[in-house]
Amino acid sequence: MTTHENSAAILRKNKKVLIASLTGSSIEWFDYFLYGTAAALVFNKIFFPMVDPVIGLMLSWLSFSLTFFIRPIGGVLFAHIGDRIGRKKTLVLTLSLMGGATVMIGLLPTYESIGMWAPALLILMRVIQGLGIGGEWGGALLLAYEYAPEKRKGFFGSIPQAGVTIGMLMATFIVSLMTMFNEEQFLSWGWRIPFLMSSVLVILGLWIRKDIDETPDFKNLKRSGQVSKAPLRATLQHHWREVLIAAGLKVVETAPFYIFSTFVVSYATSTLSYERSQALESVTLGALIATVMIPLMGLLSDRIGRKRTYTMGVVLMGLFIVPWFMLLDTGTTWGIMLATVIAFGILWAPVTAVLGTLCSEIFHASVRYTGITLGYQLGAALAGGTAPLIATGLLASSGGDWTPVAWYMAVTVLISLLAIFFATRQRTPRAPDGQTHLS
């Protein structure tokens, strides 16, 4: 049997697993980008109209940022459950909470209908959504990783990572369709359509996950009696170094993502006088190319190794920081397109493609869900949503000079290179009892 036939057979056998993993990840990021757009355009007008418009917009954005504080709580909670009772049951819980809250947001009455209960219910749904999102990434990743054949773990682990750009593309497409409505239609009922449409993805995800068995790694843990009774305590006590390494690996994946996909829009339109459509179309094209590149980079990592693929992506990304700004400075459509496609579509792809698999490989199966979630949330908190804010502040303080922003991005590169340096020196992941089995 040829390599191609082997790969095709592997994909057929695990098709549902990969689809289930990708669906959850895509919904997570679809919800993220969709809520962000609605917070900017709608929620201040229909949920917070009782205050000054500027205050209403701030309250709307506050409801958006709330998830950054809730996600770590959800991550720890569901990671604990995932390492105690299993990956599959936890994924059903996280997807139900996450998707159910998103659909409910689309059904909420407005402030005009029920007064202060409207923003209260919106915030409640956002909290529930944040709890589910916090636990979804680790579960979706482990579903793919722990089902993967030994020689395909890089590819399988890259599939849920592609959900980032797929969710982004879905949200962008839906929002562009909503622009067809006039202002009155959009505020009255048009904004609800995307939230209600996410129910289709949720039902699909739950239906697929219903027929999937528990992962082989967790089954082995149960058979051998190695299921951790206190995974959070065990992780913090015995695996804190691995958590710090995972957080360091996450830094260069998350900060440049927000720089290349979010900060670039405001920088290009306000500082460099690009049209908003030029910036948004460039980001969309970059996301489309990244969606294709991510699984390809996962396959590459199965051939040349995860650490080598990751290091290659980080180093090339670091070398491209200055050329990225220089291309943007051309003020041309081809300049911003080329800059975004290379940085976001090509160089970021190998880093995000192998991040989940790299993190999974440094934790023992008994604390893997908890370990990767803690590392992910810590790295995201340190360098995630703060990246556009930091970059904007640095740009403002320097009078529009991008040099400080370039140095900031270089620091994220150095942090992650340091993390991969220590990751290469990690021994075989050990259980809290000191044994190396089931790693």
Side-chain angles (χ1 to χ4, degrees), residues 379-395:
L382 292 174
T386 59
L389 181 64
I390 292 172
T392 302
L394 291 172
L395 194 69

Side-chain angles (χ1 to χ4, degrees), residues 76 80 83 228-238 367 370 374:
V76 170
H80 176 86
D83 279 329
S228 177
K229 294 180 180 179
L232 178 59
R233 184 178 64 189
T235 303
L236 294 176
Q237 185 175 350
H238 300 283
V367 294
T370 303
L374 283 176

Side-chain angles (χ1 to χ4, degrees), residues 19-252:
I19 293 175
S21 178
L22 181 60
T23 301
S25 179
S26 299
I27 293 173
E28 173 185 351
W29 286 95
F30 175 74
D31 288 349
Y32 174 85
F33 290 111
L34 179 61
Y35 194 100
T37 302
L41 300 177
V42 183
F43 291 166
N44 58 316
K45 298 175 182 177
I46 64 173
F47 288 109
F48 304 100
M50 77 297 287
V51 294
D52 177 83
V54 175
I55 301 298
L57 184 59
M58 290 176 65
L59 289 173
S60 182
W61 277 117
L62 183 61
S63 73
F64 171 70
S65 63
L66 184 64
T67 184
F68 286 101
F69 301 98
I70 299 299
R71 282 174 68 166
I73 299 172
V76 170
L77 171 65
F78 287 110
H80 176 86
I81 295 172
D83 279 329
R84 287 281 289 126
I85 69 171
R87 304 359 178 174
K88 177 190 172 180
K89 293 177 182 177
T90 307
L91 276 170
V92 171
L93 285 172
T94 56
L95 183 57
S96 299
L97 281 177
M98 186 175 68
T102 301
V103 174
M104 286 302 299
I105 289 173
L107 295 172
L108 286 179
T110 64
Y111 179 86
E112 187 179 344
S113 301
I114 60 172
M116 288 301 295
W117 281 105
L121 288 172
L122 176 68
I123 291 171
L124 176 61
M125 290 303 105
R126 189 60 175 162
V127 168
I128 294 172
Q129 190 184 55
L131 289 173
I133 287 174
E136 176 67 25
W137 178 80
L141 175 70
L142 292 187
L143 185 66
Y145 174 81
E146 293 185 346
Y147 259 102
E150 195 60 38
K151 295 183 178 181
R152 291 289 187 275
K153 287 192 177 293
F155 173 68
F156 275 57
S158 71
I159 296 301
Q161 296 298 93
V164 177
T165 48
I166 290 176
M168 185 179 183
L169 288 168
M170 288 193 302
T172 301
F173 176 70
I174 291 295
V175 169
S176 67
L177 289 181
M178 288 195 296
T179 59
M180 294 189 300
F181 300 121
N182 61 41
E183 180 77 4
E184 184 180 351
Q185 291 172 327
F186 180 63
L187 290 176
S188 176
W189 51 268
W191 70 270
R192 298 179 184 273
I193 294 175
F195 288 90
L196 298 177
M197 285 179 63
S198 69
S199 61
V200 177
L201 293 173
V202 174
I203 292 170
L204 175 64
L206 290 174
W207 176 71
I208 293 171
R209 290 178 180 183
K210 175 178 67 71
D211 296 327
I212 293 175
D213 202 1
E214 186 53 78
T215 68
D217 285 11
F218 192 79
K219 282 184 176 180
N220 290 338
L221 283 175
K222 290 183 72 174
R223 276 196 296 267
S224 62
Q226 292 185 62
V227 175
S228 177
K229 294 180 180 179
L232 178 59
R233 184 178 64 189
T235 303
L236 294 176
Q237 185 175 350
H238 300 283
H239 302 274
W240 59 269
R241 292 179 185 83
E242 290 90 335
V243 170
L244 292 179
I245 289 172
L249 294 172
K250 173 69 177 171
V251 166
V252 81

